[in-house]
Amino acid sequence: MKIHEYQASELFKKSGLPVVDGQVTSEVDEAVSFAQSIGYPVVLKSQVLVGGRGKAGGIKVVKSEEELREKYQDLKNLTIKGYPVRKILVVKAIDIQKEFYLAAIVDTAQDDIVLIASSEGGVEIEETAKTNPDAIKKYYLQGQKSLDPARFPSFIQGVFDTPELQAQGTKVFEGLLKTFFDNDCSLAEINPLVIDGTGTIYAADAKINLDDNALMRHEGLEDLRDMDYENADELEAKKHNLSFVKLDGNVGCIVNGAGLAMATMDIVKLSGGNPANFLDVGGSSNPEKVLNAIKIILRSPEVKAILINIFGGITRCDDIANGILEAKKQIDLPVPLVIRLTGTNEKEAKDILTAAGVETFSTMREAVNKVVELARG
Ligand code: GDP
Ligand code: MN
């Protein structure tokens, strides 16, 4: 889960990181009164959960109330990578002398957590990674939760050039690691970390990605979720206890079991089709679930056909069959259903469906070929 800069900044502050005092606002008058209390110049920062706000014109330094009012409105009218700007963080402007990049990231390839730093940082970090990879320094935690006094100094000396900055930089990494472990982050990034004219270091931006599977361990983190960025279909599915992931194809998939659901998407793709979703209706059989699943899939107008692929174990095929008939009764299906049922109570299910004039398939291959053909139109 991604959180906004103003939220990440709060978590940074709790870990003792040198964040810049700020206030998140949604009305220009709030911004004006906060700016008055800290003094101009101030920076207006659009709060959107996408990177590169600076380059997209989402960050403005303003020197007066008049300028603030004008730029605030400009930002409010802005859409960054498809997301409207609803909140604006106001912070005191820093007289930036130099920018650095700092991050703690889960490195899945190395099975470790890596600290990354660069003195060629700032917003051009992706560019630096390509053109000057030696300027990006890495330090692997090697399973430790703190900085190893034997290995860490040579890393930090490669990033900051004076002992004074190295000491400040070490403190910042300690704070970053505390944030990382205290909240089960998958990423905690400061880009840029800046030095001002007095040689003081500040975290001028704050980015955190939280591990979704660990949210339940931290009271309050779930509340940071911004519903603007959640897929409406996925939220609806969650309400009905369905494990659903929206994809961009046109073949709706209703499957029981996560493994079979993955395999079904693979075979749809292999047969020249494109799955519209991942959906696991779960192990227990319940006609209601099939009905809800069909309704959620039909929320996407791109869907041209729906495949129901059931391998009955605990799930009883006859329950699924009843769910299908119930759905047909309740909704006027705008797209064809292709049904493959096998396993527990397969015969009963087929009898139910055949009696209602609904065709069924026994093998996955036949059913997938059929649904892909129908989706092609
Ligand atoms: P991002 O583009 O989404 O990563 O947003 P950042 O918060 O990193 O801001 C982008 C750029 O705006 C920074 O790299 C800075 O150059 C500039 N910026 C941000 N805060 C300040 C500030 O307090 N003072 C000045 N002068 N520039 C700032
Ligand atoms: Mn940034």
Side-chain angles (χ1 to χ4, degrees), residues 106-112 140:
V106 172
D107 183 336
T108 48
Q110 298 294 324
D111 231 341
D112 201 355
Y140 283 91

mmCIF file of all heavy atoms in Angstrom, residues 106-112 140:
data_model
loop_
_atom_site.group_PDB
_atom_site.id
_atom_site.type_symbol
_atom_site.label_atom_id
_atom_site.label_comp_id
_atom_site.label_asym_id
_atom_site.label_seq_id
_atom_site.Cartn_x
_atom_site.Cartn_y
_atom_site.Cartn_z
ATOM 1 N N VAL A 106 13.183 -3.539 0.071
ATOM 2 C CA VAL A 106 13.259 -4.999 0.076
ATOM 3 C C VAL A 106 13.789 -5.422 -1.294
ATOM 4 O O VAL A 106 13.224 -5.061 -2.323
ATOM 5 C CB VAL A 106 11.870 -5.635 0.309
ATOM 6 C CG1 VAL A 106 11.944 -7.152 0.119
ATOM 7 C CG2 VAL A 106 11.347 -5.301 1.700
ATOM 8 N N ASP A 107 14.891 -6.135 -1.299
ATOM 9 C CA ASP A 107 15.470 -6.631 -2.548
ATOM 10 C C ASP A 107 15.102 -8.111 -2.652
ATOM 11 O O ASP A 107 15.751 -8.968 -2.040
ATOM 12 C CB ASP A 107 16.979 -6.427 -2.525
ATOM 13 C CG ASP A 107 17.643 -6.847 -3.831
ATOM 14 O OD1 ASP A 107 17.066 -7.691 -4.559
ATOM 15 O OD2 ASP A 107 18.738 -6.338 -4.125
ATOM 16 N N THR A 108 14.048 -8.390 -3.411
ATOM 17 C CA THR A 108 13.546 -9.770 -3.448
ATOM 18 C C THR A 108 14.537 -10.697 -4.152
ATOM 19 O O THR A 108 14.634 -11.871 -3.819
ATOM 20 C CB THR A 108 12.173 -9.847 -4.149
ATOM 21 O OG1 THR A 108 12.239 -9.121 -5.361
ATOM 22 C CG2 THR A 108 11.076 -9.268 -3.271
ATOM 23 N N ALA A 109 15.283 -10.170 -5.115
ATOM 24 C CA ALA A 109 16.241 -11.012 -5.842
ATOM 25 C C ALA A 109 17.362 -11.472 -4.912
ATOM 26 O O ALA A 109 17.853 -12.596 -5.022
ATOM 27 C CB ALA A 109 16.807 -10.254 -7.031
ATOM 28 N N GLN A 110 17.765 -10.598 -3.978
ATOM 29 C CA GLN A 110 18.863 -10.937 -3.058
ATOM 30 C C GLN A 110 18.338 -11.471 -1.730
ATOM 31 O O GLN A 110 19.144 -11.810 -0.850
ATOM 32 C CB GLN A 110 19.718 -9.696 -2.776
ATOM 33 C CG GLN A 110 20.415 -9.102 -3.980
ATOM 34 C CD GLN A 110 21.465 -10.030 -4.545
ATOM 35 O OE1 GLN A 110 22.142 -10.737 -3.805
ATOM 36 N NE2 GLN A 110 21.573 -10.080 -5.869
ATOM 37 N N ASP A 111 17.006 -11.522 -1.566
ATOM 38 C CA ASP A 111 16.452 -12.017 -0.314
ATOM 39 C C ASP A 111 16.968 -11.216 0.877
ATOM 40 O O ASP A 111 17.337 -11.778 1.912
ATOM 41 C CB ASP A 111 16.890 -13.480 -0.126
ATOM 42 C CG ASP A 111 15.715 -14.356 0.187
ATOM 43 O OD1 ASP A 111 14.681 -13.807 0.603
ATOM 44 O OD2 ASP A 111 15.832 -15.591 0.024
ATOM 45 N N ASP A 112 17.041 -9.919 0.722
ATOM 46 C CA ASP A 112 17.666 -9.087 1.746
ATOM 47 C C ASP A 112 17.039 -7.684 1.674
ATOM 48 O O ASP A 112 16.264 -7.392 0.765
ATOM 49 C CB ASP A 112 19.172 -8.997 1.464
ATOM 50 C CG ASP A 112 19.989 -8.606 2.692
ATOM 51 O OD1 ASP A 112 19.402 -8.299 3.754
ATOM 52 O OD2 ASP A 112 21.227 -8.600 2.572
ATOM 53 N N TYR A 140 23.944 -3.891 1.907
ATOM 54 C CA TYR A 140 22.990 -4.947 2.246
ATOM 55 C C TYR A 140 23.001 -5.205 3.745
ATOM 56 O O TYR A 140 24.070 -5.306 4.352
ATOM 57 C CB TYR A 140 23.323 -6.223 1.473
ATOM 58 C CG TYR A 140 22.876 -6.131 0.029
ATOM 59 C CD1 TYR A 140 23.738 -5.644 -0.966
ATOM 60 C CD2 TYR A 140 21.583 -6.466 -0.329
ATOM 61 C CE1 TYR A 140 23.312 -5.516 -2.280
ATOM 62 C CE2 TYR A 140 21.141 -6.341 -1.632
ATOM 63 C CZ TYR A 140 22.013 -5.871 -2.607
ATOM 64 O OH TYR A 140 21.584 -5.740 -3.891
#
